[in-house]
Amino acid sequence: MTAASGGAQTARPTRLPRSARRKQLLAAAQQVFVAHGYHAAAMDDIAEKAGVSKPVLYQHFPGKLELYLALLDTHCDAIIAKVRDAMLATADNKERVKGAVRAYFDFMDHESEAFRLVFESDLRNDAQVRQRVERVEQGCIAAVTDTIISDTNLSSDQAELLASGLVGAAGQSAQFWLANGRRTPKAEAEALVAALIWRGIASFPLQGGTSGGAASEIG
């Protein structure tokens, strides 16, 4: 029987490049993990969501934990990059503060709800997960610390302490805002938190002896 006469033949699934398939699997896994949490999620559910067989899924990820960690790495890297970009995007320190706050609010407010994997994981007791979650805080603090050191006469220890305050305020405020139903419009919430942080950090003099508001006025 020729292929032309095989009207009942089942079309073979499209064979994707390995990188594209991995991206597809990660997207499907994220939906399942966000909806059900790590413990309740099953590889069967992820394979079904991705429209592939379990053997295909296991070709890319040897187990559920490895899949979860790959997702965490992706999103942890993303938020660190957003904060670092905010520091590098301008020499205006007031705008840098706004950018750092915006990075957290954007991450928390994204429709993918990836924040649940980073900040609300039901696997925080796992050492590998905990290390990645801690890396987010450390990476964001490091990005801000480098900027403070380059702009002020503060020591590295002092700069790191200030950076931890900025990152903590931005992150906790964004989480609180989301958990409480976004009662304040996002742009207004970002502006309020940025103003609070700026009022404190702007009081530290720059290396040239001027206020911390390089290219900005305090206010």
Side-chain angles (χ1 to χ4, degrees):
M1 181 180 293
T2 64
S5 63
Q9 285 184 328
T10 302
R12 298 182 62 183
T14 303
R15 185 176 181 84
L16 295 177
R18 185 172 181 83
S19 60
R21 179 67 76 192
R22 178 183 173 88
K23 184 177 181 179
Q24 176 199 28
L25 296 175
L26 286 172
Q30 179 169 311
Q31 293 181 54
V32 174
F33 284 134
V34 165
H36 304 292
Y38 176 82
H39 293 294
M43 292 294 269
D44 286 320
D45 298 330
I46 295 169
E48 181 179 354
K49 176 69 71 173
V52 301
S53 65
K54 279 182 68 177
V56 169
L57 181 56
Y58 281 111
Q59 285 174 12
H60 293 264
F61 300 98
K64 186 169 72 168
L65 179 59
E66 287 77 14
L67 185 50
Y68 192 82
L69 294 177
L71 274 172
L72 267 185
D73 284 335
T74 297
H75 294 299
C76 289
D77 290 344
I79 190 169
I80 292 171
K82 284 180 178 292
V83 172
R84 185 180 296 114
D85 288 347
M87 297 298 104
L88 298 175
T90 178
D92 185 322
N93 286 329
K94 190 173 185 179
E95 291 303 315
R96 284 169 167 166
V97 170
K98 290 179 180 178
V101 171
R102 188 181 307 115
Y104 274 94
F105 273 82
D106 284 349
F107 184 70
M108 298 298 293
D109 196 41
H110 196 276
E111 62 183 10
S112 69
E113 298 189 82
F115 75 89
R116 297 191 186 280
L117 304 178
V118 179
F119 296 113
E120 297 181 1
S121 174
D122 57 348
L123 200 61
R124 291 289 289 270
N125 289 332
D126 181 272
Q128 295 179 83
V129 172
R130 186 168 61 250
Q131 182 272 331
R132 284 162 170 81
V133 172
E134 291 172 353
R135 182 168 64 82
V136 171
E137 182 180 36
Q138 294 164 357
C140 292
I141 288 174
V144 178
T145 298
D146 290 343
T147 300
I148 293 175
I149 289 175
S150 68
D151 280 1
T152 71
N153 293 311
L154 296 176
S155 69
S156 58
D157 287 340
Q158 291 172 323
E160 188 174 38
L161 184 59
L162 283 180
S164 71
L166 188 157
V167 168
Q172 288 297 319
S173 298
Q175 291 181 62
F176 179 86
W177 171 79
L178 185 67
N180 283 269
R182 301 179 175 92
R183 294 199 299 260
T184 302
K186 181 169 176 281
E188 183 181 341
E190 291 176 7
L192 285 170
V193 176
L196 173 65
I197 296 171
W198 176 245
R199 289 287 183 176
I201 205 166
S203 65
F204 292 89
L206 297 176
Q207 289 193 33
T210 59
S211 74
S216 296
E217 293 181 357
I218 299 176

